[in-house]
Amino acid sequence: MGCPPDTYTGAVDSTRERDADLFERDETDGPDGADGGSGGSGDDWDGGAAADGGSGRREKKRNRKVLVAALVLLLVPVLAVGGYLAWLNHIVTNNVKQELLLPDSGTDSQPTDKNGNVVAQPTGSGTNYLIIGNDAGPDRVGARSDVMVLVHVPEDHSQVTLIHFPRDLYVSIPGKGKNKLNAAYAFGGAPLLVKTMQNMLGIRIDHVAMQGFEGFKAMTDAVGGVDVDVEEPSKDNGYDFTVGTMHMTGDMALAFVRERKQLSEGDISRGRRQLAFIKALMLKTLNKDVLLNPVRLSEFADAATKNLTVDQKLDVGTMRSEAFALRDLRGGDIRFITAPFTGFGTSPQGASIDIVDEVKMADLGEAIRNDELASYK
């Protein structure tokens, strides 16, 4: 990133301004204690027994009552948890929308090199998720994606790498020539953006999730705010962001991730802020204070999925399994990367662009493809 700008453009603009379109509680009831502990009819159990056998039958009766009481104490939490999970599943299932965000199956959905040859993908190399941030939603004609983060989860789920792709990266878009990366979404929605990124990196993107930043704001408030690392100071909307860790509510976090004009590298710095916020939200969500708090977890699940759109292959069961597999994630297990570029410049059409570092981008793609991001530098 510190290299001189590509001579192709002949102009450098490191401080340019960019337009910014974006940025129940548990109602389950357990069994009634009185009903479960009564043991039915005691007279029927004794049967009017004679004195010589009564003590044994009374002991059996007491044992039966103890057994029933123990079963009640065991079943109440089990039924409550089962009911709660059913309610949580109901929230997520009703909220999450599935759409055609991945390219259609077949050769067209596979990454290809510059010669049009399909790039073979190793098996057991982890999972790649593309997160698209756009308040406009998937149905807005001509909308551009302001946030593009590729999340790589290795096969062993030991860590997570978040890779920010600046929206002004000047790339080849299938069927559209060269343009800014976020123009791919404007031209052909999420499927074309996926194809563009797959070809650029030589990897397969397994799943796509679209979420507006208003949704992230709601999630932040649902978990009681998040602690975000601030690299550069700025002031916006009455908030004074200072270097260090700051606790942020939803409105504050939204102002934080939208700022770019006061930052040293404009949209690039804003991308790093967005990654820092996403990391903080992930860690807070996976914290036991959220996972083990039924009210907070249900509120978060509702906020997280109310405006969430996922691809046609990503079902609720898969999302739940992935979240469970990452339950032991810690701060040191989440890594940030900015997709490699050599500098800023101007396109032949006069637009401000970020110039791709072709060599390092190929290295990044190889590391993702072979599940070796842990050693990527």
Side-chain angles (χ1 to χ4, degrees):
M1 235 184 313
C3 301
D6 195 302
T7 55
Y8 164 77
T9 63
V12 178
D13 180 9
S14 62
T15 60
R16 65 189 182 282
E17 296 181 1
R18 300 171 170 85
D19 292 334
D21 296 333
L22 179 76
F23 163 146
E24 302 183 323
R25 65 188 177 97
D26 184 5
E27 297 289 350
T28 55
D29 294 322
D32 183 78
D35 292 341
S38 65
S41 171
D43 290 340
D44 290 343
W45 178 265
D46 276 340
D52 59 346
S55 61
R57 283 190 290 271
R58 283 193 296 274
E59 183 65 26
K60 289 180 181 179
K61 181 177 179 181
R62 284 194 297 271
N63 289 343
R64 179 172 181 265
K65 287 184 176 181
V66 170
L67 176 61
V68 171
L71 286 174
V72 169
L73 291 174
L74 177 64
L75 287 175
V76 166
V78 169
L79 291 175
V81 170
Y84 172 68
L85 292 179
W87 168 242
L88 204 60
N89 189 73
H90 173 75
I91 291 176
V92 174
T93 302
N94 278 1
N95 284 353
V96 174
K97 296 178 289 293
Q98 282 187 301
E99 292 188 7
L100 185 66
L101 302 183
L102 287 170
D104 291 335
S105 58
T107 305
D108 192 48
S109 66
Q110 301 300 312
T112 57
D113 60 22
K114 293 181 178 180
N115 298 318
N117 300 315
V118 173
V119 180
Q121 303 294 305
T123 59
S125 55
T127 307
N128 298 314
Y129 296 85
L130 176 61
I131 299 176
I132 302 173
N134 193 319
D135 280 344
D139 297 325
R140 177 179 151 190
V141 177
R144 297 201 175 204
S145 51
D146 289 298
V147 179
M148 290 159 286
V149 175
L150 185 67
V151 180
H152 178 77
V153 180
E155 193 70 13
D156 62 5
H157 291 82
S158 60
Q159 60 181 12
V160 170
T161 302
L162 292 88
I163 309 168
H164 169 240
F165 285 81
R167 61 183 186 172
D168 289 347
L169 283 176
Y170 198 58
V171 301
S172 295
I173 301 174
K176 301 295 181 180
K178 296 201 72 171
N179 210 316
K180 295 182 180 183
L181 180 60
N182 68 344
Y185 183 84
F187 290 143
L192 184 57
L193 177 60
V194 169
K195 288 175 64 176
T196 301
M197 294 184 66
Q198 287 189 154
N199 293 353
M200 178 173 59
L201 292 161
I203 66 164
R204 181 186 64 251
I205 292 176
D206 301 288
H207 295 295
V208 179
M210 295 183 58
Q211 175 71 277
F213 262 36
E214 288 294 332
F216 285 117
K217 170 186 169 182
M219 284 187 274
T220 302
D221 287 332
V223 297
V226 295
D227 296 327
V228 185
D229 291 330
V230 180
E231 287 186 355
E232 292 186 63
S234 68
K235 294 183 179 181
D236 187 62
N237 285 358
Y239 298 111
D240 186 1
F241 299 105
T242 57
V243 175
T245 301
M246 296 186 67
H247 185 78
M248 300 184 189
T249 59
D251 284 327
M252 187 177 182
L254 197 57
F256 175 74
V257 298
R258 279 177 162 162
E259 178 56 49
R260 74 189 189 286
K261 294 180 180 179
Q262 300 176 46
L263 305 181
S264 61
E265 293 184 281
D267 203 48
I268 304 301
S269 298
R270 184 173 75 159
R272 288 198 290 268
R273 279 193 165 191
Q274 291 165 357
L275 289 180
F277 165 71
I278 292 173
K279 175 182 178 179
L281 185 58
M282 286 178 62
L283 290 176
K284 187 64 176 287
T285 305
L286 295 170
N287 188 280
K288 64 180 180 180
D289 292 337
V290 174
L291 292 178
L292 300 182
N293 185 323
V295 174
R296 181 157 285 181
L297 183 57
S298 64
E299 290 176 348
F300 174 80
D302 188 41
T305 58
K306 187 166 289 182
N307 297 302
L308 178 66
T309 303
V310 299
D311 66 80
Q312 63 271 31
K313 298 179 181 179
L314 184 56
D315 55 38
V316 173
T318 301
M319 289 188 283
R320 183 170 54 240
S321 298
E322 190 76 298
F324 183 77
L326 294 171
R327 66 192 182 280
D328 293 327
L329 214 61
R330 298 294 180 267
D333 302 324
I334 301 176
R335 183 185 180 194
F336 296 158
I337 295 175
T338 296
F341 67 101
T342 60
F344 306 123
T346 306
S347 73
Q349 293 75 33
S352 297
I353 58 174
D354 302 331
I355 303 159
V356 175
D357 187 324
E358 302 286 353
V359 174
K360 291 184 178 179
M361 189 70 78
D363 291 342
L364 175 61
E366 183 178 3
I368 297 172
R369 189 167 58 248
N370 295 313
D371 204 9
E372 296 175 346
L373 271 175
S375 58
Y376 171 82
K377 297 185 183 301

